[in-house]
């Protein structure tokens, strides 16, 4: 029996490629919106945090510089993203990155355990611990969502690992600066 050309499988060279102009990098749908929303979260969060501690500009500058660096690295890697949409997993990872930038704003505030020395410091430590726990819980959700939505990619896996590593670094510096480490 002869197979018709309509039903014949296509060779790799015959398969249609996405319409990507080689000179213009492609940005997945939803990436810019996600980064904008996360930027607003960082700005509002760091302004609230700085105002609550009457800490001046140092936490604001620290957090915004870190977030800007993250956004630039994400934007640089976006052309390697293979899907047309940013996807829910990458959106959650972006929120985790924004949360990590907010935690980094605490680094200038934590100076030789002064933030943790009184009873209000203990309450603050519980709030920070809850925020860290939420960020870590979201880490377990993003991989599941990527597989479930069939949007798993090398970009997403790398993005997730880099945010994990940066969160670990920020937590280590916070613990070290607080005087609670070894």
């Amino acid at each position: 029996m002869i197979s018709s050309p309509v039903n014949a499988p296509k060779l790799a060279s015959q398969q249609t490629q996405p319409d990507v102009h080689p000179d213009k990098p492609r940005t997945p749908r939803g990436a810019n919106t996600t980064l904008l929303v996360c930027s607003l979260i960082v700005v509002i969060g760091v302004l609230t945090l700085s105002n609550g501690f009457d800490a001046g500009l140092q936490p604001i500058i620290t957090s915004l510089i870190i977030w800007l660096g993250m956004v630039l690295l994400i934007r640089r890697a976006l052309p390697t993203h293979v899907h047309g949409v940013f996807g829910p997993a990458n959106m959650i990872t972006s929120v985790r990155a924004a949360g990590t930038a907010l935690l980094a704003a605490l680094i200038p505030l934590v100076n030789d355990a002064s933030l943790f020395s009184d009873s209000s410091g203990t309450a603050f430590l519980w709030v920070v611990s809850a925020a860290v726990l939420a960020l870590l819980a979201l880490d377990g959700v993003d991989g599941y969502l990527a597989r479930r939505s069939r949007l798993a990619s090398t970009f997403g896996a790398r993005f997730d690992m880099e945010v994990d590593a940066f969160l670990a670094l920020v937590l280590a510096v916070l613990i070290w600066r607080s005087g609670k480490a070894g």
Side-chain angles (χ1 to χ4, degrees):
M1 173 159 214
I2 301 174
S3 66
S4 69
V6 174
N7 296 332
K10 293 183 179 180
L11 299 173
S13 61
Q14 295 173 330
Q15 292 178 351
T16 59
Q17 298 297 319
D19 187 27
V20 177
H21 193 276
D23 296 334
K24 184 180 178 210
R26 177 178 59 92
T27 300
R29 191 175 65 249
N32 290 332
T33 304
T34 300
L35 293 176
L36 179 63
V37 168
C38 288
S39 296
L40 290 173
I41 290 170
V42 170
V43 168
I44 291 169
V46 77
L47 289 175
T48 303
L49 181 71
S50 185
N51 189 31
F53 287 105
D54 195 27
L57 291 176
Q58 197 172 13
I60 296 171
I61 292 169
T62 301
S63 186
L64 292 180
I65 287 174
I66 287 172
W67 177 245
L68 179 63
M70 286 180 175
V71 169
L72 291 174
L73 290 171
I74 293 166
R75 296 283 305 155
R76 181 175 178 193
L78 276 178
T80 65
H81 193 278
V82 295
H83 300 292
V85 296
F86 201 51
N90 289 327
M91 290 177 187
I92 287 176
T93 304
S94 298
V95 168
R96 289 180 41 244
T100 303
L102 280 173
L103 282 175
L106 299 175
I107 292 172
L109 298 177
V110 180
N111 192 6
D112 300 324
S114 62
L115 194 58
F116 304 111
S117 61
D118 58 1
S119 61
S120 65
T122 303
F124 179 73
L125 185 59
W126 280 107
V127 171
V128 171
S129 298
V132 169
L133 187 62
L135 292 174
L136 292 173
L138 286 175
D139 184 31
V141 173
D142 57 8
Y144 170 78
L145 280 177
R147 290 183 295 277
R148 180 84 177 175
S149 62
R150 298 177 192 247
L151 293 173
S153 66
T154 305
F155 168 84
R158 179 72 185 259
F159 183 27
D160 180 55
M161 287 187 291
E162 296 300 333
V163 171
D164 291 345
F166 192 66
L167 176 60
L169 174 67
V170 168
L171 291 175
V173 170
L174 281 171
I175 292 168
W176 168 65
R177 297 249 321 160
S178 72
K180 302 285 184 187

